[in-house]
């Protein structure tokens, strides 16, 4: 029996490339799983993929491509002494580094814009929307300028030959980019904090939601590490070997940025803001047999929140294409425990009866979107008509 031996590189004093490879792929796989979880939760909740999801997916694809280019760099120079590399290896290293830098900027910008699109989608207040738009324009302009500068870093037609060609100072450019990146990260924490702070919800819930957006604090540490490491590379004569910690910081910044976008986007956190400011948590009565969850906590007069959750089902009639929503409890025969005209209906209904609920009237301030706070949307009156009927009969 013959054995096949597969040689694997190990970390040595003269080769730190394998460490960069392991960290890179652990981070990118974690980011991909986080994005898949976020999108999957939305799909399972029948929430259509929004522009924030599409932008995040695009950023994730760019991140995967960037990780592949870094993997090409590793056997061709990252973490190795320059004198031990051949001319062909250095050429592949430069080309892969050129592509990786462009993909890094594009992916990072897309992840930032994704969270701004999310913030713009969940707030109806015009001043908040203008703030997120202004920040988005700034990030887009800065990123396009950085892409242009990185694409033409050296004299043409060999703009990628950063080790052999006439180029502008790459260290100074990278430090400037990292510094602006740090400023935008602080802004992406401050903007949602400002938006949420005036929402009419409990202080504890405010802290929870702010903490979700504040998860981007995890990105700030690697950015600071980038700046420190870049300043240490100003006087190096062995850039391929001495730059390996910088590559790890790069991957931390990019993939943590993707992961932290997913934290506040999970719908369960957004439901916690169901004070009227959120536009994504409205429950709608649908036709054709669709089911929508409804919480008894929406009824201010109900004193019992421990009963099974109520669901709105459609009651179809063979002679009527329209369906009426029926309130039934999970796992129990039809009954109703809501307060109706001040009296709590808690008794079980006959087995051949259903509780039919429909909206009689609804009023709200038409100018709630221009309010400086969410109070005008919170004050909302909805009247329900609830009737009992034997099954098989339509109202």
């Amino acid at each position: 029996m013959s054995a096949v031996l597969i040689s694997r590189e190990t970390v040595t004093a003269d080769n730190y490339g394998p460490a960069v490879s392991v960290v890179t792929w652990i981070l990118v796989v974690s980011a991909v799983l986080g994005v898949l979880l976020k999108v999957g939760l939305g799909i399972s909740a029948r929430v259509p993929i929004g522009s924030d999801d599409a932008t995040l997916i695009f950023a994730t694809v760019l991140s995967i491509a960037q990780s592949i280019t870094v993997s090409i760099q590793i056997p061709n120079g990252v973490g190795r002494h320059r004198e031990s590399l051949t001319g062909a290896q250095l050429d592949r290293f430069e080309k892969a580094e050129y592509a990786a830098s462009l993909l890094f900027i594009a992916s990072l910008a897309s992840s930032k814009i994704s969270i701004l699109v999310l913030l713009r989608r969940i707030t109806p207040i015009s001043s908040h929307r203008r703030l997120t738009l202004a920040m988005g324009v700034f990030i887009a302009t800065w990123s396009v300028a950085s892409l242009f500068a990185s694409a033409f870093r050296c004299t043409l037609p060999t703009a990628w030959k950063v080790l052999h060609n006439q180029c502008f100072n790459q260290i100074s450019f990278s430090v400037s980019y990292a510094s602006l990146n740090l400023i935008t990260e602080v802004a992406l924490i401050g903007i949602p904090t400002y938006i949420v702070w005036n929402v009419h919800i409990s202080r504890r819930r405010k802290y929870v939601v702010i903490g979700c957006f504040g998860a981007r604090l995890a990105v700030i540490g690697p950015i600071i590490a980038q700046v420190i490491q870049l300043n240490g590379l100003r006087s190096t004569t062995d850039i391929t070997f001495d730059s390996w910690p910088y590559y790890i910081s790069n991957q931390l910044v990019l993939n943590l940025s993707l992961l932290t976008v997913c934290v506040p986007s999970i719908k369960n956190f957004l439901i916690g803001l169901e004070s009227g400011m959120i536009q994504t948590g409205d429950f709608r009565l649908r036709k054709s047999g669709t089911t929508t969850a409804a919480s008894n906590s929406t009824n201010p007069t109900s004193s019992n929140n421990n009963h099974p959750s109520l669901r709105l089902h459609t009651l179809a009639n063979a002679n009527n294409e329209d369906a009426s929503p029926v309130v039934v409890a999970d796992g129990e025969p039809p009954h109703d425990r809501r307060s109706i005209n001040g009296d709590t209906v808690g008794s079980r209904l006959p087995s051949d009866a259903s509780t039919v609920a429909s909206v009689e009237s609804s009023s709200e301030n038409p100018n709630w979107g221009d309010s400086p706070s969410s109070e005008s949307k919170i004050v909302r009156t909805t009247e329900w008509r609830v009737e009992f009927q034997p099954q098989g009969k339509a109202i």
Side-chain angles (χ1 to χ4, degrees):
M1 180 183 293
S2 60
V4 179
L5 298 179
I6 301 176
S7 61
R8 297 181 179 179
E9 285 188 318
T10 58
V11 177
T12 65
D14 296 320
N15 183 13
Y16 287 95
V20 178
S21 180
V22 170
V23 172
T24 295
W25 287 107
I26 288 176
L27 289 171
V28 75
V29 169
S30 300
V32 169
L33 291 176
V35 173
L36 288 176
L37 176 62
K38 172 191 178 301
V39 176
L41 287 174
I43 293 174
S44 66
R46 298 183 181 180
V47 177
I49 294 179
S51 53
D52 56 317
D53 295 321
T55 308
L56 181 59
I57 292 171
F58 178 69
T60 305
V61 172
L62 293 178
S63 176
I64 295 172
Q66 192 267 353
S67 299
I68 292 173
T69 59
V70 171
S71 296
I72 295 173
Q73 287 180 267
I74 290 170
N76 292 288
V78 174
R80 299 187 181 195
H81 294 288
R82 182 173 177 175
E83 62 268 15
S84 66
L85 304 172
T86 65
Q89 283 180 309
L90 289 174
D91 186 62
R92 288 192 292 269
F93 171 84
E94 289 174 311
K95 290 179 178 179
E97 194 278 331
Y98 180 78
S101 63
L102 296 176
L103 291 168
F104 177 88
I105 295 171
S107 179
L108 193 62
S110 299
S111 68
K112 292 174 185 289
I113 291 175
S114 174
I115 199 166
L116 287 171
V117 172
L118 172 66
L119 289 171
R120 185 174 173 81
R121 179 168 63 86
I122 67 176
T123 176
I125 300 176
S126 56
S127 60
H128 295 168
R129 294 170 66 85
R130 287 194 297 268
L131 179 61
T132 57
L133 177 61
M135 191 64 197
V137 170
F138 172 79
I139 290 176
T141 304
W142 160 60
S143 299
V144 170
S146 299
L147 280 170
F148 184 85
S150 186
F152 299 99
R153 64 178 72 177
C154 304
T155 55
L156 298 175
T158 54
W160 64 85
K161 283 190 172 293
V162 69
L163 299 178
H164 302 90
N165 214 336
Q166 293 181 350
C167 312
F168 61 79
N169 192 313
Q170 293 297 294
I171 301 296
S172 297
F173 168 74
S174 298
V175 169
S176 299
Y177 179 85
S179 300
L180 282 173
N181 188 27
L182 180 62
I183 293 173
T184 58
E185 288 297 334
V186 173
L188 289 177
I189 297 171
I191 290 175
T193 301
Y194 167 71
I195 291 175
V196 172
W197 194 252
N198 292 323
V199 178
H200 291 249
I201 55 178
S202 66
R203 188 176 296 272
R204 181 189 62 81
R205 187 166 291 180
K206 283 182 183 180
Y207 292 151
V208 171
V209 177
I210 291 173
C212 294
F213 287 97
R216 295 193 72 86
L217 285 170
V219 186
I220 291 179
I223 295 176
I224 295 174
Q226 276 183 317
V227 175
I228 295 173
Q229 290 156 4
L230 284 167
N231 286 321
L233 293 174
R234 291 185 184 275
S235 58
T236 184
T237 57
D238 194 359
I239 188 69
T240 57
F241 179 78
D242 293 335
S243 62
W244 71 267
Y246 172 71
Y247 280 90
I248 291 180
S249 297
N250 255 17
Q251 300 311 111
L252 284 169
V253 169
L254 180 57
N255 292 288
L256 286 177
S257 180
L258 293 172
L259 277 171
T260 52
V261 171
C262 301
V263 175
S265 300
I266 298 175
K267 187 181 179 185
N268 289 339
F269 288 109
L270 293 182
I271 291 177
L273 279 179
E274 187 63 35
S275 65
M277 188 190 83
I278 295 299
Q279 301 180 35
T280 58
D282 295 335
F283 297 119
R284 295 177 174 84
L285 305 181
R286 300 185 180 184
K287 298 181 179 182
S288 305
T290 57
T291 302
T292 305
S295 171
N296 187 58
S297 62
T298 58
N299 184 357
T301 61
S302 176
S303 60
N304 184 8
N305 294 325
N306 297 321
H307 63 77
S309 61
L310 297 177
R311 296 184 179 273
L312 295 175
H313 295 273
T314 57
L315 180 62
N317 186 298
N319 299 322
N320 185 6
E321 293 181 356
D322 293 335
S324 302
V326 177
V327 182
V328 298
D330 292 341
E332 296 187 15
H335 67 288
D336 180 47
R337 299 193 184 200
R338 292 180 178 271
S339 296
I340 303 174
N341 296 328
D343 298 326
T344 301
V345 180
S347 59
R348 187 174 304 276
L349 305 180
S351 59
D352 61 345
S354 299
T355 304
V356 179
S358 62
V359 177
E360 285 288 338
S361 64
S362 176
S363 63
E364 62 182 39
N365 188 347
N367 298 320
W368 63 272
D370 296 328
S371 172
S373 69
S374 61
E375 183 176 1
S376 58
K377 185 64 160 59
I378 295 174
V379 180
R380 179 174 181 172
T381 302
T382 303
E383 297 179 1
W384 294 82
R385 175 175 58 86
V386 180
E387 298 181 6
F388 303 147
Q389 69 168 55
Q391 292 184 351
K393 296 182 180 181
I395 294 177

